[in-house]
Amino acid sequence: MKHITFILGVIAGSMLLISCNSDREQATGDSGFAEVSEAKIDSLINQMTLDEKIDLIHASSSFTSGGVPRLDIPELVFSDGPHGVRHEHGRGWYALEDADDEATYLPVGISLASTWNKDLGYDYGEVLGNEAKQRGKNVLLGPGINIIRSPLNGRNFEYLSEDPFLTGAMGVGYVQGLQAQGVAACPKHYTANNQETDRHNIDALISKRALHEIYLPAFRDVVQDGGAWSIMGAYNKVNGQYTTHHEYLNNVVLKGDWEYDGVVLSDWASVKDTREALLYGTDIEMGTELLRDFNNPVYDEFYLANPAKEMIENGEIDEQLVDEKVRRVLRLMHRTTALTDHGPGKRNVEEHQQKALEVAREGIVLLKNDEMLPIDRTEVKTLAVIGHNANRRFAGRGGSSQVNAFYEITPLEGIRNLVGEDVEVVFAEGYEPYYDESLFRGEGGDAASQSRENRQDVELARTANEDLMQEAVNIAEEADAVIFVGGWIHGHEGMPWGQGTYDAEARDKLNLKLIFGQEDLIRQINSVNDRTAVVLMGGSNVEMENWLPDTPAYLHAWYPGMEGGTAIAEILFGEVNPSGKLPMTFANSHEDYPSHSIGEFPGDGTVDYAEDIYVGYRYFDTQNKDVLFPFGFGLSYTTFEFSNLQVSKQEDRVTVQTTVTNTGDREGAEVVQVYVHHKDPSVERPIRELKGFEKVQLDPGASATVTIELDESAFMYYHPENLEWVLESGSYEVQVGNSSRDIKMREEVVW
C-alpha cells in the first residue's frame, strides 16, 4: 500500500495539509460482510451426494452454475460486464427480447486506465457492483487485465495497459469497489490472453521471468491487494498446457504462492480435458456447449459433469479434489449476493451517469495541440463535424462486453448540446463502414491471412466513398473550424456476432492503417481548412505519419461510454481541462512493437514471446526507439513544473517526494510518475519501470508536495535461473516525470 501526502499551496500563502491512503481499504475475504463460516461449509459438503457436488462445479445454463435445492444452495448467476452489465440472457444463449436490462455504459477499460486515477477505479467498480446486484448477478466477469502486448489485439479496449503496475493499481480499485457491493469480481483472462487470433489453440511460449515480471503481477495484485473472490482462466495454452487447467499457473502460483482461496472459473468453453481440470485447479466449468451443440447443450456431458463423476467412481480421481472445488464455490456464495443480503442495488441512477462522465473526462487524452484547442465559441460561427463515428453508438457492440445502454450521447450530440445556438454545426458522415474480411484476422486462425497472401493491394479495401468524402470536404472548406471524429469501430449492422468487427472479441486487426478511407479524408480536410481537430475512437492507436504533421490538434477518446460525447465536447471547447495519460505506447506502425519486431504475432500454433520482459515502453525506451507518443504522455491546457525531488531510504522502504506546481492560468491535473532503474544489474533490466504514480488536481499557481513510498518489491527482479524474486544490492536511479520519455528529475538510492 502506498501512502500519499498532498501539501496544497495557493498564491496567498495559505497551506492545507491532506493525508490520505492512495488505495481504498483493502478488500478482505469477506469485505466487511458476514464472515464465511468454514465449519458451515464443511457441514454442507458432508451432506451432499456426489451428484450434488458435481452439479456445483459446472454450468446449468448459459450464465449460471448449478445449485443444490435440497440444501437451499442456489445457482450462481454470472454476467459479462467489464464496463457495464451485459444484456439479459435468461437461461439461453441469445439475448432476451424486451428484457428490463438497460444499464450504465461506462467508458471501456483502457479509458479507465488512461485516467491514472485510482479512486476512479474504485468508483467504477462500485457502479458496476450496484447495477449487477440490482439485476440479481452474483459474479461480474471483469476487470479485463491482460497486458497489451500488441496494438493489433481486437480486445485491447477491454484491457488496461501495457504496464503491469498501472494495470494492477487500477484493477485493485475496480475489484474492491465491485466487491464492496457483494458482487464478486472475476479478473480475466488468467493468463497471457494477448491475442484473439486462434485463441482456443495457440500455445504462448513465455519465459518464467516474463511471466512473473510482465504477465502475472496484475493478477497477483488483484488477488492479494484487491481480494478478488474469483478469477477466469484464458483460452490459450502457456508453455504447452491450457491455462484454465494449468498445473503451474493454478496450483503452484495462484493457489500456492499467492494463497488464493477463491474460485477459478473457466472462460466459456476453455476447459479441454476432464482429468487436467480436476487435478489442476479449475473450480467451475462454463460455456462448453459453444464447442459442441450451441443450441442444445447437454450440461451433464460437460467435462466436469458425468466424465468427472465416472473418473471418481472408478477410482482414477479422489473425491476430495471435488470437495475442495465445492468448498471454494460455497465460500464464493457466502461472500456474494448468492447467500448473503447485500442490499437492493441501484441502476441507471444519476450518480452512475455522472461517474461515467467523470471517467470519460479524465480518460480522454490530448496528444497534440498547436494552439487550436480549446475552441472559443465566440470566434467560431460555423463548425463542421465530420466522420461516421461522430454519430455512431458503440454500447451494444464489441463481443461479450456489449451493453444495452440506457442512453449514449454521441460526439455530434455532445457538441450540439454544448454550443446550442451560439454556433452553427454542420455534419457530414465523410465515410461509411463496410465489411471486408481482408482487414482483420479471425479467431479461427489464419484463414483470412491465407487469402491475403496473394493480395498486395490491401489499400484498395480501404478506399472511401467518394461522394461522402466530397460532401465532407465541401463543408470543411466553408467552416470556421472542423472536428473530424473517426478511428476504429465495433461491428457492422446485419453481421453475425463476432463477425465483421474491427475492434472486438474474436478478431485481431491486420495492421494500424485507418480503415474506410479515413486517412485520405483527413488529408483532404487539412488541405482546405487549417483549423482541424481530429478525435479518434478505438482501443488502440492508428498509423499517423501521413496526416498528423498537418493536423493542428488530436484527441484520443477510446470508447468513452454513455456520456462520451458530452466529455469530448467539454474538452474541445475548454469546459474541461484534459488530464488523461496514455496507458500504452503509440508507435506509428504495428511492426515497430517488440511483439512483432522481435517476438511473434499471431504465430502459427505457437507464439514465441521472444521479446521477453521488453514489452511496450520497456522496449522502446531501453532501445531508444522512436515513438509518436510515449507511455504516460498526455497534454493539458495548463502547464506544470516539477521541483524539489527528495529520495530517502529507511529500512525496507524508499520515500520519493516531489513538488508539482501549476504554472498556467487554469485549473488542471497532473500525474506524477515514478520509475526505477538498476544502474549496474547482473542481468538485463529495462532502463525504467513504473513503480508508483499519483494524480493531483491544482488551481492556477498552486503547488502540491506528493510523497510516494516504494517498498523493496519495486526494486526486485525475477531471477531467470533461480526462479525467485531477487533484490540485488547496488545503486538504483529513481526517475520522476510525467511520461516515460519526459523524466524531470533523478536521484540515486543504494540497496
Side-chain angles (χ1 to χ4, degrees):
M1 305 285 269
K2 300 174 183 60
H3 298 274
I4 312 301
T5 300
F6 296 128
I7 302 175
L8 304 179
V10 295
I11 296 175
S14 62
M15 302 294 291
L16 175 64
L17 175 64
I18 304 174
S19 295
C20 63
N21 190 319
S22 67
D23 298 328
R24 302 295 180 107
E25 192 67 29
Q26 178 173 328
T28 61
D30 54 66
S31 275
F33 299 118
E35 184 177 350
V36 177
S37 170
E38 295 296 327
K40 183 175 181 180
I41 289 174
D42 287 338
S43 175
L44 286 171
I45 293 173
N46 290 336
Q47 296 177 62
M48 289 183 196
T49 66
L50 177 58
D51 284 332
E52 289 171 334
K53 294 174 184 177
I54 292 292
D55 284 344
L56 283 178
I57 64 172
H58 67 79
S60 56
S61 75
S62 60
F63 280 93
T64 62
S65 60
V68 183
R70 181 178 66 86
L71 299 175
D72 296 323
I73 299 172
E75 295 177 314
L76 269 173
V77 183
F78 305 91
S79 177
D80 280 307
H83 47 260
V85 185
R86 188 177 178 176
H87 52 243
E88 204 64 44
H89 281 252
R91 302 194 68 81
W93 182 253
Y94 297 102
L96 298 179
E97 295 183 7
D98 302 321
D100 179 18
D101 59 2
E102 290 180 325
T104 297
Y105 170 40
L106 291 162
V108 295
I110 198 169
S111 180
L112 173 64
S114 297
T115 70
W116 290 63
N117 184 333
K118 287 169 277 189
D119 287 341
L120 279 182
Y122 184 96
D123 295 345
Y124 189 103
E126 191 173 43
V127 169
L128 291 171
N130 262 302
E131 301 220 344
K133 182 167 56 174
Q134 198 276 338
R135 292 261 303 275
K137 312 302 182 184
N138 311 129
V139 181
L140 195 75
L141 307 178
I145 59 173
N146 289 118
I147 295 299
I148 297 175
R149 177 177 179 251
S150 165
L152 301 186
N153 184 357
R155 213 166 176 178
N156 281 343
F157 68 93
E158 290 185 39
Y159 301 146
L160 299 178
S161 176
E162 69 186 24
D163 179 74
F165 184 87
L166 177 59
T167 299
M170 299 303 297
V172 164
Y174 179 125
V175 168
Q176 291 174 340
L178 178 60
Q179 293 188 169
Q181 304 306 312
V183 176
C186 190
K188 60 185 186 182
H189 309 85
Y190 183 74
T191 188
N193 183 183
N194 306 120
Q195 66 185 64
E196 294 298 283
T197 306
D198 205 19
R199 60 181 178 165
H200 285 276
N201 303 301
I202 60 163
D203 186 4
L205 306 180
I206 313 174
S207 74
K208 288 284 182 64
R209 184 182 181 192
L211 272 175
H212 283 274
E213 291 192 21
I214 304 296
Y215 300 101
L216 292 179
F219 287 101
R220 179 197 61 213
D221 291 346
V222 296
V223 165
Q224 294 188 332
D225 296 336
W229 294 333
S230 65
I231 197 167
M232 181 188 287
Y235 285 125
N236 51 282
K237 298 176 185 176
V238 167
N239 298 331
Q241 193 167 42
Y242 282 106
T243 60
T244 296
H245 33 80
H246 197 289
E247 183 176 16
Y248 179 75
L249 294 175
N250 289 340
N251 290 358
V252 176
V253 176
L254 179 63
K255 296 181 177 181
D257 296 343
W258 301 348
E259 300 180 339
Y260 175 66
D261 68 354
V263 164
V264 174
L265 178 74
S266 80
D267 201 344
W268 270 233
S270 69
V271 172
K272 310 294 185 182
D273 182 272
T274 296
R275 182 180 182 84
E276 288 198 356
L278 287 168
L279 290 172
Y280 303 143
T282 313
D283 297 311
I284 299 178
E285 174 193 3
M286 296 297 297
T288 302
E289 73 273 13
L290 295 180
L291 296 183
R292 295 184 178 181
D293 189 337
F294 190 87
N295 295 305
N296 298 292
V298 181
Y299 296 105
D300 286 343
E301 295 305 316
F302 274 34
Y303 291 103
L304 288 181
N306 284 342
K309 178 183 176 183
E310 291 172 7
M311 281 190 157
I312 293 166
E313 288 180 334
N314 66 23
E316 291 181 63
I317 295 293
D318 194 318
E319 188 172 343
Q320 289 185 355
L321 285 171
V322 173
D323 290 350
E324 173 59 20
K325 299 178 191 301
V326 171
R327 179 173 288 105
R328 290 173 180 271
V329 172
L330 293 174
R331 190 180 292 136
L332 176 62
M333 288 184 172
H334 277 281
R335 287 169 166 167
T336 66
T337 50
L339 287 173
T340 309
D341 183 7
H342 295 288
K346 49 190 174 181
R347 176 163 54 106
N348 287 329
V349 294
E350 184 177 353
E351 64 188 89
H352 290 182
Q353 296 152 14
Q354 182 64 28
K355 195 58 61 178
L357 178 57
E358 289 179 29
V359 176
R361 285 168 172 164
E362 292 198 35
I364 293 169
V365 188
L366 177 61
L367 293 173
K368 183 178 180 182
N369 186 24
D370 290 344
E371 300 183 354
M372 178 184 170
L373 300 179
I375 298 171
D376 186 341
R377 277 182 281 179
T378 65
E379 297 180 355
V380 175
K381 295 181 179 179
T382 303
L383 178 69
V385 177
I386 297 171
H388 175 86
N389 280 358
N391 208 31
R392 185 182 183 89
R393 291 177 172 83
F394 292 99
R397 308 168 186 274
S400 62
S401 63
Q402 57 196 270
V403 180
N404 184 16
F406 185 51
Y407 64 85
E408 182 178 352
I409 296 175
T410 67
L412 179 61
E413 291 169 338
I415 290 168
R416 283 178 167 161
N417 291 343
L418 190 148
V419 302
E421 296 180 358
D422 295 341
V423 178
E424 180 186 3
V425 177
V426 183
F427 172 67
E429 187 173 22
Y431 65 93
E432 61 178 346
Y434 52 86
Y435 173 74
D436 191 322
E437 181 75 15
S438 72
L439 299 185
F440 57 83
R441 298 181 177 93
E443 69 173 331
D446 63 352
S449 63
Q450 289 174 359
S451 69
R452 291 190 298 267
E453 287 181 357
N454 296 321
R455 290 188 57 178
Q456 302 301 318
D457 58 344
V458 174
E459 295 301 320
L460 295 177
R462 300 178 182 276
T463 55
N465 181 305
E466 294 293 338
D467 292 337
L468 292 179
M469 180 181 289
Q470 190 58 53
E471 177 192 11
V473 172
N474 289 343
I475 71 165
E477 191 169 17
E478 298 298 321
D480 297 317
V482 179
I483 306 298
F484 174 82
V485 187
W488 302 106
I489 65 168
H490 292 318
H492 293 274
E493 290 78 9
M495 294 302 301
W497 180 89
Q499 295 186 26
T501 52
Y502 299 89
D503 222 355
E505 182 180 3
R507 290 291 184 268
D508 289 328
K509 304 179 185 75
L510 176 62
N511 53 42
L512 295 179
K513 295 181 183 296
L514 269 171
I515 51 179
F516 314 134
Q518 293 178 72
E519 185 173 295
D520 288 342
L521 178 57
I522 295 172
R523 292 169 68 183
Q524 290 199 40
I525 292 170
N526 280 333
S527 71
V528 300
N529 195 314
D530 59 6
R531 297 195 67 198
T532 298
V534 168
V535 179
L536 295 186
M537 318 283 270
S540 74
N541 49 321
V542 301
E543 291 189 9
M544 305 179 201
E545 63 183 1
N546 291 329
W547 58 266
L548 184 63
D550 297 324
T551 300
Y554 166 35
L555 278 178
H556 201 86
W558 314 108
Y559 295 108
M562 65 195 303
E563 285 284 353
T566 302
I568 288 170
E570 289 175 335
I571 290 173
L572 289 171
F573 287 90
E575 300 291 323
V576 167
N577 192 350
S579 63
K581 303 284 187 178
L582 288 180
M584 63 177 290
T585 304
F586 275 17
N588 185 62
S589 168
H590 72 280
E591 295 176 347
D592 296 332
Y593 289 81
S595 52
H596 299 266
S597 62
I598 299 175
E600 292 182 329
F601 185 99
D604 184 12
T606 61
V607 184
D608 187 1
Y609 284 46
E611 72 278 10
D612 204 51
I613 61 170
Y614 291 98
V615 175
Y617 73 90
R618 284 168 168 78
Y619 166 76
F620 288 108
D621 291 3
T622 302
Q623 297 298 321
N624 197 26
K625 298 285 187 180
D626 289 338
V627 299
L628 291 175
F629 301 107
F631 175 80
F633 177 81
L635 297 173
S636 170
Y637 294 150
T638 190
T639 54
F640 299 93
E641 181 180 273
F642 285 51
S643 62
N644 302 324
L645 175 63
Q646 298 180 39
V647 178
S648 60
K649 178 177 175 291
Q650 187 172 9
E651 296 181 350
D652 62 349
R653 304 190 75 81
V654 171
T655 301
V656 182
Q657 187 174 83
T658 189
T659 301
V660 185
T661 303
N662 183 343
T663 56
D665 58 3
R666 62 177 297 163
E667 180 185 13
E670 180 62 296
V671 178
V672 178
Q673 302 169 31
V674 177
Y675 298 86
V676 168
H677 169 57
H678 190 184
K679 297 191 71 174
D680 188 25
S682 62
V683 299
E684 284 191 11
R685 299 185 69 173
I687 197 169
R688 63 184 54 92
E689 298 176 87
L690 182 72
K691 296 299 179 181
F693 66 89
E694 194 64 34
K695 191 170 194 175
V696 58
Q697 187 85 20
L698 294 171
D699 290 331
S703 295
T705 296
V706 179
T707 301
I708 298 177
E709 291 186 2
L710 308 177
D711 62 28
E712 61 182 9
S713 67
F715 301 86
M716 301 175 79
Y717 73 96
Y718 194 81
H719 199 287
E721 296 175 358
N722 297 342
L723 303 182
E724 61 183 4
W725 286 98
V726 172
L727 176 58
E728 193 169 32
S729 62
S731 180
Y732 291 79
E733 188 176 68
V734 175
Q735 308 169 359
V736 176
N738 62 359
S739 83
S740 75
R741 290 286 178 98
D742 192 3
I743 303 302
K744 307 290 188 180
M745 295 171 293
R746 307 165 190 259
E747 287 288 343
E748 289 188 19
V749 63
V750 177
W751 281 91

